[in-house]
Amino acid sequence: MTGFGDAFAAAFGLIARMDADLVEIVGLSLRVTLSATLCACLLGFPLGAILAVGRFPGRGVLTVLVNALMGLPPVVVGLVVYLMLSRAGPFGALGLLYTPTAMIVAQTILVTPIIAALARQTVADLDAEYHETLRSMGAGAGARMRTLLWDGRFALMTAALAGMGRALAEVGAVMIVGGNIDHVTRVMTTAIALETSRGELTLALGLGIVLMVLSLALNALVMGARLSGARMSHA
Amino acid sequence: MLRLVASNPSPGAVIRLEGVRLRRGGRDVLDGLDLAIPQQGITAIMGPNGAGKSLSLRVMAGLVRPDDGGVFHGLTDPQDIALVFQKPVLLRRTVRANLRHALAIYGVPRRERRKRLGELLDFGRLAAMADSPARALSGGEQQRVAMVRALAARPRLLLLDEPTASLDPQATDAIESLILDAAAFGTTVVLVTHDRGQATRLADHIRFLHKGTLTEAASADQFLLAPKSPEAQAYFAGKLLL
Ligand SMILES: Nc1ncnc2c1ncn2[C@@H]1O[C@H](COP(=O)(O)OP(=O)(O)OP(=O)(O)O)[C@@H](O)[C@H]1O
Ligand SMILES: [Mg+2]
């Protein structure tokens, strides 16, 4: 039991003195996940809005597809992106495999369906309420979509945070396309997996604590977004 | 035969429905409705619940296509017709942002919006609550925002669906003076109301609907003194003709 307690103490020590390795790994994690979440929002919000208010053939199929992709296993995404980026793959010439960029691509693919599906639901619910009002004002399709996205901003923020939480906690995809290379592609989850398997509990625990705190912070932000949303929605 | 024609509706009328038929839930809720709205003054549409008053406003606003009949008007710009719904929907933003959004939709150039916004807030006496979330306002205040938002389009035809239902006398007063101001600026106003007093105070013309058809078209003076159609007489006597 002392071993466990010592490991915890050492882990807090790492955090307290901002250990260089720990900071580097946390920094890369955040960089990859924030970039992927941003890309996923830029793709997912408009996609969700188009699925919600657009009238075009194939819309139903696309909606089902996006919803199905929400549950994509990270390792499968990793595998597919690996095949795309590997030397023999269609994008092999770009030389992206085992770079942070590859990890951002994989997490973007993982998170976009989540954000798009939640955005579609948000925008569709709002459209049911706003449709006649916006049409009576003479708003075109573009203006309508922008209005709905903005008025759904708190729910969309929740969607983005949910997507970010998934990306931050995910191991499979970043492991496969990043390769967990020290100082290059090592992020929190892959480092924890590796250090634990090597019996190096100090760094693993330190990173685990940081990851937990970040997850809690994300959840607190979700709550904040909900409350602000409720204040604006009223009745 | 369905005709939706942008053309001169007929002398003196700003918009005219001719033989408009609308099927909902397996019955004709508008049943060959003929309705002409005079260009000049305020027209009140009266009639019992379910007569088709709200639907006829939606047809005039172009939100609902009739299954049969014609809609004639010369209002080609989408912003020529503005509609304030029975239950107005305000955006999840502040009052100021609601009006700014409307001005943007109406294509008001960016540099003019600030000035117009100030005018609108003053006109609706909304300046004190400009930065409150619009949906947190009281019912009467929300109605005022919806009304000002519609007027921001500078419409030639303003359609109002029971704008003072469930408002207290003071809020009703505020809305009524907005309506009179709009009419004084030359906007044609169509007002759905159940309130005979309100019709007396505001209306120049009355159109009485019953079961999706027009049963009486008259001047307000004449109609409110002595309605001619049996349906209108029964309505004011408190009897429902079903
Ligand atoms: N989507 C629909 N499905 C079935 N019936 C409908 C539908 N929309 C409207 N109706 C019916 O059409 C009729 C006319 O509706 P409308 O809303 O125009 O009435 P109204 O004259 O405005 O009544 P109120 O004074 O209660 O506001 C009503 O009987 C209503 O039930
Ligand atoms: Mg009605």
Side-chain angles (χ1 to χ4, degrees):
Chain A
M1 209 60 226
T2 38
F4 200 64
D6 288 348
F8 256 103
F12 277 112
L14 279 187
I15 298 169
R17 74 179 128 81
M18 303 279 278
D19 175 77
D21 278 346
L22 180 122
V23 168
E24 188 188 348
I25 292 170
V26 171
L28 182 65
S29 267
L30 287 176
R31 201 185 110 205
V32 167
T33 294
L34 284 172
S35 307
T37 306
L38 184 68
C39 293
C41 287
L42 291 176
L43 295 168
F45 288 164
L47 176 60
I50 288 168
L51 288 177
V53 305
R55 297 284 173 268
F56 53 90
R59 169 168 159 265
V61 177
L62 208 54
T63 303
V64 171
L65 190 70
V66 167
N67 279 315
L69 291 178
M70 262 175 96
L72 267 182
V75 282
V76 173
V77 174
L79 178 60
V80 170
V81 174
Y82 179 91
L83 292 173
M84 295 289 181
L85 298 183
S86 69
R87 196 106 44 94
F91 303 104
L94 298 175
L96 289 177
L97 200 60
Y98 303 132
T99 65
T101 307
M103 296 154 78
I104 293 170
V105 170
Q107 289 200 338
T108 300
I109 293 173
L110 192 69
V111 172
T112 299
I114 298 175
I115 291 181
L118 293 173
R120 192 203 66 79
Q121 191 61 52
T122 298
V123 172
D125 290 347
L126 270 181
D127 190 44
E129 193 189 344
Y130 283 11
H131 188 79
E132 277 205 317
T133 298
L134 292 177
R135 263 193 62 206
S136 79
M137 293 169 76
R144 260 173 54 213
M145 264 176 30
R146 280 195 299 280
T147 304
L148 294 165
L149 283 172
W150 180 251
D151 274 44
R153 59 200 177 279
F154 299 108
L156 293 175
M157 214 186 294
T158 307
L161 292 168
M164 190 177 159
R166 178 150 153 93
L168 201 60
E170 164 285 315
V171 204
V174 280
M175 183 71 99
I176 294 176
V177 303
N180 195 24
I181 302 166
D182 204 5
H183 302 302
V184 183
T185 58
R186 184 160 297 173
V187 290
M188 284 193 276
T189 53
T190 56
I192 290 171
L194 177 74
E195 298 299 317
T196 305
S197 69
R198 290 202 308 208
E200 294 281 350
L201 291 188
T202 308
L203 184 56
L205 265 176
L207 289 168
I209 291 165
V210 173
L211 191 53
M212 285 268 297
V213 169
L214 286 172
S215 292
L216 287 174
L218 279 181
N219 275 305
L221 286 175
V222 167
M223 294 257 288
R226 288 236 170 88
L227 287 176
S228 317
R231 206 163 35 242
M232 271 293 168
S233 312
H234 241 266
Chain B
M1 182 191 54
L2 172 63
R3 288 168 296 164
L4 288 164
V5 185
S7 67
N8 198 353
S10 64
V14 65
I15 188 166
R16 183 164 55 90
L17 310 189
E18 204 180 275
V20 163
R21 200 169 296 283
L22 196 67
R23 286 193 77 73
R24 285 287 186 277
R27 65 200 171 93
D28 286 338
V29 293
L30 294 183
D31 192 3
L33 176 64
D34 295 310
L35 184 64
I37 302 297
Q39 168 96 55
Q40 296 296 328
I42 300 177
T43 301
I45 296 182
M46 304 189 79
N49 294 134
K53 304 180 298 298
S54 295
L55 281 175
S56 63
L57 290 194
R58 282 185 163 81
V59 169
M60 284 191 251
L63 293 175
V64 173
R65 264 176 83 93
D67 296 307
D68 194 11
V71 180
F72 303 92
H73 60 75
L75 307 169
T76 44
D77 193 306
Q79 275 131 50
D80 283 343
I81 305 180
L83 171 58
V84 178
F85 292 90
Q86 203 164 346
K87 295 179 203 129
V89 175
L90 300 180
L91 305 186
R92 287 161 169 76
R93 314 173 184 206
T94 62
V95 170
R96 189 190 300 283
N98 265 273
L99 297 178
R100 201 187 294 119
H101 170 265
L103 291 171
I105 298 274
Y106 301 149
V108 175
R110 204 171 279 274
R111 56 182 187 288
E112 284 177 32
R113 282 183 211 159
R114 217 186 146 78
K115 186 170 145 279
R116 287 281 301 277
L117 190 60
E119 292 168 4
L120 291 171
L121 288 170
D122 286 345
F123 185 63
R125 278 176 288 149
L126 295 165
M129 54 201 94
D131 296 304
S132 308
R135 297 161 70 98
L137 302 185
S138 77
E141 291 161 348
Q142 290 200 37
Q143 272 291 358
R144 235 152 69 211
V145 176
M147 183 88 100
V148 168
R149 177 175 68 182
L151 287 171
R154 295 186 168 156
R156 289 166 59 193
L157 175 60
L158 176 63
L159 308 170
L160 305 172
D161 199 348
E162 302 191 33
T164 62
S166 81
L167 298 193
D168 70 23
Q170 198 190 347
T172 301
D173 234 38
I175 296 282
E176 287 186 359
S177 52
L178 285 182
I179 294 172
L180 288 170
D181 285 348
F185 287 134
T187 307
T188 305
V189 179
V190 177
L191 165 76
V192 172
T193 182
H194 287 290
D195 179 350
R196 199 173 180 166
Q198 180 164 70
T200 311
R201 289 189 296 277
L202 300 180
D204 303 295
H205 323 280
I206 306 283
R207 299 291 179 267
F208 191 86
L209 301 194
H210 181 77
K211 288 190 185 172
T213 56
L214 182 83
T215 66
E216 191 163 350
S219 76
D221 295 342
Q222 187 263 299
F223 179 90
L224 293 165
L225 209 62
K228 287 203 170 78
S229 65
E231 292 86 354
Q233 287 168 0
Y235 173 77
F236 287 121
K239 283 179 251 162
L240 265 181
L241 277 191
L242 295 170

